Amino acid sequence: VELVGVADANPEQARAIAPQAPRPRLELAALRSRAGDAAAAYEILEGLARELPAALGHAARPLADAARACGRAGKARTLLEEAYT
């Protein structure tokens, strides 16, 4: 199964296929960011950080980038500080 294609078409299906895998959400967030929807990318990455904290190392930079692009830098900073302190 091509998870990237599934993630773009149906994020819930991608999570059902691989619920503990961060990649479908990371790819979906990247697609949303490239499409100019930083807020959607941020929401996806924030959910990933909260649901799979072990994946935060992979999500931190795109999370910060999306947060800056959609005006949620303070919220992202708090999330990252809580995770790393």
Side-chain angles (χ1 to χ4, degrees), residues 46-83:
E46 180 185 41
L48 174 64
R50 293 192 187 285
E51 295 168 28
L52 299 172
L56 190 54
H58 297 290
R61 178 170 300 272
L63 174 75
D65 291 343
R68 279 191 295 274
C70 71
R72 297 183 189 167
K75 190 173 179 184
R77 182 175 317 137
T78 299
L79 178 66
L80 292 168
E81 286 174 350
E82 289 172 356

Side-chain angles (χ1 to χ4, degrees), residues 3-85:
L3 288 179
V4 174
V6 171
D8 189 40
N10 187 338
E12 294 305 319
Q13 184 181 3
R15 287 186 206 149
I17 291 169
Q20 296 303 314
R23 185 173 179 106
R25 292 190 236 185
L26 290 167
E27 293 294 336
L28 180 57
L31 289 168
R32 295 294 179 254
S33 183
R34 285 193 298 271
D37 193 350
Y42 177 82
E43 292 298 325
I44 292 164
L45 295 166
E46 180 185 41
L48 174 64
R50 293 192 187 285
E51 295 168 28
L52 299 172
L56 190 54
H58 297 290
R61 178 170 300 272
L63 174 75
D65 291 343
R68 279 191 295 274
C70 71
R72 297 183 189 167
K75 190 173 179 184
R77 182 175 317 137
T78 299
L79 178 66
L80 292 168
E81 286 174 350
E82 289 172 356
Y84 288 109
T85 56

